[in-house]
Amino acid sequence: GAVMRAPSRKAAARGVSFSASPVLAVQLPAWRSKLAMFLIFCAFLALAVRAFWLQALSTEFLQKKGEARYARTLETPAVRGKILDRNGEVMASSLPVKAIWAIPEAVDANQDKLRRLAQLLDMPYADLKKKLDSDRSFVYLKRQVEPEAADQIAALELSGIHSKKEYKRYYPAGHIAAHVLGFTNVEDKGQEGVELAQQSALGGVTGSRRVIQDRLGRVVEDIAFIREPQDGKDLTLSIDGKIQYIAFTQLQQAVEEHRAKAGAIVVLDVRTGEVLALANMPTYNPNSRVGLT
């Protein structure tokens, strides 16, 4: 067999020239390794210059980016002005309600709680799931939810589900003065009748406030009001609520008696020309806006 000999002390002292082996010999030219080192040095230099630029010379940019992740501007709704008849009786007013909204990715609840939420929102469970499956960061689940239902939803303590204050228009006379008063939309803005004609006076000006929110959208601190809300002005009509009721009931009776498709009645004060009552048939209930009566 082959006999292996230990290297002599003289050879060990000199060391072994491994690069002399053809297997370990570097085939690449030396300038390529130097070029690679130079490019790596340039990359680190660029990173250092960029870091210095952002942290020392451009701090405002980073502050704005950071603020965008936790600071929010929330609208503060103004209270819409009342509509009164000539005797001071309320014909239209705004009642406080809640808008229920969600951050879909932050919602973490079991099926039972989500079914209870759908029940309180008076909507099918499938529709609720569809809204929560959205990839948006903000989605309304339902607007103008009554305070009692909103309180029960809050009691569920569902993460990612929130509410905000808004207003809903209420008409005590219902369908009796619907054509005179008109109605408002879900944003409480006039769409028909006096509500539309006097929108600028009744509507007021929505305010806004700057707040700090946590990652789940909960307000943890109020910073300041950017603009205070300005409530709308009350409006007094020449309409007399009692005469309006009598006129409507007489019109309704006449339409039914003569089997008419429609009818209208106007009551004027002949001395001043003021409209004391104005009724139309068919009509609708502006509180529900479902079908015609």
Side-chain angles (χ1 to χ4, degrees):
V3 178
M4 298 185 63
R5 297 179 179 178
S8 64
R9 293 182 180 179
K10 188 176 180 180
R14 287 199 310 267
V16 179
S17 180
F18 292 102
S19 61
S21 171
V23 178
L24 299 176
V26 178
Q27 303 295 325
L28 299 176
W31 66 266
R32 293 189 64 172
S33 62
K34 293 180 180 180
L35 177 61
M37 291 297 295
F38 177 74
L39 293 177
I40 293 174
F41 171 77
C42 290
F44 276 103
L45 181 63
L47 288 174
V49 171
R50 180 61 175 167
F52 176 76
W53 170 261
L54 291 175
Q55 297 182 32
L57 304 178
S58 185
T59 55
E60 184 178 353
F61 170 78
L62 291 179
Q63 288 173 351
K64 287 183 178 180
K65 286 295 184 181
E67 184 182 14
R69 285 164 172 76
Y70 64 81
R72 296 287 186 274
T73 299
L74 302 180
E75 286 190 351
T76 305
V79 181
R80 190 174 180 85
K82 299 175 184 175
I83 299 179
L84 312 170
D85 77 348
R86 66 188 302 116
N87 300 312
E89 295 295 327
V90 176
M91 302 189 76
S93 62
S94 290
L95 304 178
V97 288
K98 292 289 185 69
I100 307 299
W101 59 278
I103 305 174
E105 63 179 8
V107 176
D108 182 18
N110 57 43
Q111 190 176 22
D112 291 338
K113 283 193 173 184
L114 290 180
R115 288 191 179 280
R116 176 57 178 161
L117 174 62
Q119 183 181 6
L120 291 172
L121 292 175
D122 193 23
M123 64 188 302
Y125 175 71
D127 291 351
L128 175 62
K129 286 289 292 181
K130 185 177 180 180
K131 289 189 175 185
L132 293 179
D133 287 340
S134 171
D135 57 358
R136 292 184 295 174
S137 60
F138 175 96
V139 60
Y140 276 117
L141 298 182
K142 190 172 184 180
R143 305 290 301 273
Q144 296 189 347
V145 176
E146 296 298 329
E148 295 79 6
D151 290 342
Q152 294 181 56
I153 291 173
L156 293 176
E157 297 183 346
L158 299 174
S159 62
I161 306 296
H162 310 280
S163 66
K164 71 174 186 176
K165 186 178 181 180
E166 59 182 10
Y167 292 93
K168 177 181 180 180
R169 206 64 163 165
Y170 173 64
Y171 304 90
H175 56 275
I176 292 174
H179 292 90
V180 177
L181 302 176
F183 57 89
T184 62
N185 62 8
V186 71
E187 301 290 345
D188 210 22
K189 294 181 180 179
Q191 301 297 296
E192 294 290 345
V194 172
E195 295 278 30
L196 175 61
Q198 299 296 323
Q199 168 61 30
S200 58
L202 291 168
V205 179
T206 300
S208 59
R209 60 191 177 105
R210 197 70 171 162
V211 301
I212 293 177
Q213 293 181 315
D214 63 13
R215 66 181 184 86
L216 298 179
R218 295 172 299 194
V219 175
V220 295
E221 182 180 352
D222 272 297
I223 301 176
F225 267 106
I226 298 175
R227 182 179 65 247
E228 292 280 355
Q230 298 178 15
D231 294 342
K233 298 178 180 178
D234 293 347
L235 179 66
T236 300
L237 304 179
S238 63
I239 298 292
D240 187 310
K242 294 179 181 179
I243 298 177
Q244 177 73 24
Y245 175 79
I246 294 172
F248 177 83
T249 53
Q250 290 299 313
L251 173 64
Q252 186 177 39
Q253 182 179 342
V255 168
E256 293 174 354
E257 181 179 345
H258 297 281
R259 298 179 180 178
K261 292 183 178 180
I265 186 169
V266 180
V267 180
L268 301 175
D269 185 331
V270 294
R271 295 169 298 179
T272 62
E274 292 177 314
V275 178
L276 301 179
L278 189 156
N280 291 274
M281 287 287 292
T283 186
Y284 60 93
N285 186 347
N287 295 311
S288 62
R289 308 170 198 172
V290 177
L292 298 175
T293 59

